[in-house]
Amino acid sequence: MTTKPLDAAVLPQRAVPAGEPAQATRVTIRGTAKTTRRLTVPRSVRRAAGPVGLVLLWFLTSATGVLPESVLASPVDVVRQAVDLTKNGELPSAIAASGRRAGIGFLIGATVALALSLLAGLFRLGEDVIDSSMGMFRAIPWVGLIPLFIVWFGIEETPKIALVALGVTYPLYFNIYGGIRSTDAGLVEAARMMGLGRLGLIRYVILPSALPGALVGLRYALSTAWLALVFAEQINADAGLGYLMSNAQQYFRTDIIVLCLAVYALLGLACDFAVRILSRRLLTWRANFEGDA
């Protein structure tokens, strides 16, 4: 029986008694593992596959007549309307007006949420006074406050901005407050033993621990800001994406309605992408599980 030569390893020689001729045997092991190169699809392509597939399905159902134009305009009509409204300046001015309202409302809501969450998270008295009230007000649908805001602030810009600010406040408050209260007590005790005062403890231990939760709250708050703006711009708006949608609704222009909804979605997606980049920059010190390949 013949034995195939084995590659990449040498077996130790056996002990040879005195007087017997030495016969060194070299045995090699031939590698049998084959390296297979896997074809991987870039993550950007995989992420775009879902939206592109939906748009393609939408186009096919519209082109074949399965989805009539009276129900939903075709993507070709939506794109054509986007080009026309961009050329005459209506779409850019509407985006600017909506962005201004969302930006001002977000800044007001974020400031209020940050102040309340720091007071409630850092001090027990603040928790007793603020947290239960925030939990109670969160149960009230903020969209249902539109009639009350109209009574309080009229029908100009103030109720629209106030509605956006209210929608932003809750997700930011609860995520920052939860992040502060989830700080490891062992880290706090170790920092105190090292001589850190209250300000140093807040700056170097508590706030970094609360940062992941705050960034999650920021993502929710930005998406809620655009959602609140959809409702807010139905309040006697004379400019903005909601104004375009209201006019299109009167004339059953589904192409303009879908275009405005797509712009809302793209603006929200851009904000979410910006927060993702910010999270990667600010949380480089934190090891995260990013899913199996």
Side-chain angles (χ1 to χ4, degrees), residues 43-255:
R43 293 194 66 187
S44 58
V45 177
R46 287 183 292 175
R47 285 179 178 271
V52 171
L54 289 176
V55 173
L56 181 61
L57 179 62
W58 176 20
F59 173 77
L60 292 176
T61 53
S62 298
T64 56
V66 176
L67 187 64
E69 292 187 3
S70 59
V71 176
L72 188 64
S74 68
V76 177
D77 294 334
V78 174
V79 173
R80 185 183 299 115
Q81 194 61 233
V83 174
D84 294 340
L85 292 177
T86 301
K87 288 182 178 179
N88 61 27
E90 288 187 50
L91 186 60
S93 62
I95 294 175
S98 297
R100 183 177 63 254
R101 292 171 183 144
I104 296 174
F106 176 81
L107 289 177
I108 295 174
T111 302
V112 173
L114 181 61
L116 294 178
S117 60
L118 289 177
L119 290 174
L122 297 176
F123 306 102
R124 293 181 182 177
L125 178 60
E127 178 186 12
D128 297 338
V129 174
I130 297 173
D131 189 61
S132 58
S133 300
M134 291 295 292
M136 178 181 65
F137 288 128
R138 183 182 60 173
I140 301 175
W142 45 266
V143 179
L145 295 175
I146 293 178
L148 192 59
F149 281 0
I150 293 176
V151 173
W152 288 349
F153 307 117
I155 57 176
E156 300 299 328
E157 292 295 305
T158 305
K160 304 175 182 61
I161 295 174
L163 191 65
V164 174
L166 185 65
V168 166
T169 300
Y170 295 122
L172 266 179
Y173 167 80
F174 284 104
N175 279 277
I176 297 176
Y177 168 77
I180 292 174
R181 287 306 177 95
S182 64
T183 303
D184 190 355
L187 291 177
V188 175
E189 188 63 27
R192 286 174 176 169
M193 293 178 62
M194 294 177 61
L196 278 180
R198 178 179 292 273
L199 293 179
L201 185 66
I202 294 172
R203 179 180 177 182
Y204 295 108
V205 178
I206 297 178
L207 292 184
S209 298
L211 185 58
L215 291 172
V216 172
L218 182 61
R219 292 181 64 184
Y220 278 111
L222 286 171
S223 61
T224 306
W226 292 109
L227 176 62
L229 191 64
V230 175
F231 295 98
E233 289 187 333
Q234 306 300 319
I235 308 173
N236 195 37
D238 56 358
L241 295 172
Y243 173 71
L244 288 180
M245 290 180 63
S246 297
N247 287 343
Q249 180 186 1
Q250 296 177 6
Y251 299 100
F252 302 98
R253 295 294 302 274
T254 58
D255 51 352

